[in-house]
Amino acid sequence: KNRKTFTRNRERTAIDPAIRERFAQEPFRILVLTEHYCEDSLQLVPMLWRLSDGVVDLEVRILRQHEHPDLAAHYLTLGGYPAIPVFIVLDADLEERIALIERPRRMTAKLMGEIRRFQQAHPELPGINRTLDHMPAETRMALKAHIAAWREGQHERWSTYLFEDLLAPLQQGGER
């Protein structure tokens, strides 16, 4: 459905040689639970795919969340719903090293900050201070359009966040 955007996001992801080298230090498998409609997946999964092109011992597998409900039930949002995307990092022995649920925390903080900034800048929009699912349709569409455009400028920063967070087990001296 979003092949063009996926491909563009993959192609524009620059991989720092130091990041590539860190991932190449030991075999990793990253299992991603996702769905085609997830905006975070559309931005983050191509970054990971790009990284895997240049790292021999990095294997990435993508699973549709709805096809694996038993696995998805282990990775829930704060609201108790199955999260997407979920990046599950496995070592060479298929032991889970880390699970990154939805997106890096720094990415969430920046996203929430931009939503608040937009809300404050546009008090004229009806229901702008409501949660997204309770906003009138026109307000929700305006916010979504703004965030989609804003996300475009975050690509490089968010790829750094993603790779650093997935490398967290190595940063801690390789302890499990």
Side-chain angles (χ1 to χ4, degrees):
K1 179 181 176 185
N2 295 306
R3 183 179 308 268
K4 189 175 185 180
T5 302
F6 186 97
T7 300
R8 185 174 59 80
N9 284 341
R10 183 181 173 281
E11 289 172 356
R12 71 182 181 141
T13 299
I15 307 296
D16 182 309
I19 293 289
R20 191 179 308 278
E21 185 177 314
R22 293 289 288 153
F23 274 97
Q25 288 180 355
E26 63 181 270
F28 278 100
R29 289 172 182 80
I30 301 179
L31 186 62
V32 182
L33 292 173
T34 189
E35 290 294 342
H36 70 277
Y37 55 82
C38 176
E39 292 177 27
D40 288 333
S41 292
L42 188 57
Q43 191 158 26
L44 297 173
V45 173
M47 295 171 182
L48 184 58
W49 202 285
R50 177 69 164 215
L51 173 66
S52 72
D53 284 344
V55 179
V56 175
D57 285 332
L58 175 61
E59 181 181 346
V60 176
R61 298 278 175 110
I62 311 291
L63 299 176
R64 305 266 316 260
Q65 180 203 50
H66 77 273
E67 294 173 355
H68 302 276
D70 292 342
L71 180 59
H74 293 283
Y75 304 97
L76 304 178
T77 65
L78 294 176
Y81 300 100
I84 53 172
V86 177
F87 299 88
I88 307 163
V89 179
L90 307 169
D91 63 18
D93 298 323
L94 300 180
E95 295 291 328
E96 183 177 314
R97 297 283 296 271
I98 189 172
L100 178 62
I101 296 177
E102 291 188 327
R103 66 183 80 88
R105 287 185 188 143
R106 293 173 287 177
M107 185 176 159
T108 298
K110 298 284 184 193
L111 181 61
M112 293 298 105
E114 184 59 23
I115 289 171
R116 282 189 297 278
R117 192 199 67 69
F118 183 83
Q119 289 171 321
Q120 291 168 355
H122 295 283
E124 76 283 1
L125 292 173
I128 189 62
N129 292 317
R130 297 181 189 163
T131 59
L132 193 63
D133 55 334
H134 289 98
M135 288 179 182
E138 66 275 5
T139 301
R140 182 173 47 252
M141 288 185 347
L143 176 58
K144 283 186 164 194
H146 172 76
I147 292 301
W150 177 80
R151 277 178 175 265
E152 285 293 312
Q154 306 306 308
H155 191 83
E156 185 175 332
R157 177 188 308 183
W158 288 356
S159 68
T160 299
Y161 292 170
L162 176 66
F163 299 147
E164 288 176 354
D165 285 8
L166 292 174
L167 280 169
L170 285 180
Q171 305 296 349
Q172 300 162 3
E175 295 176 15
R176 295 173 195 216

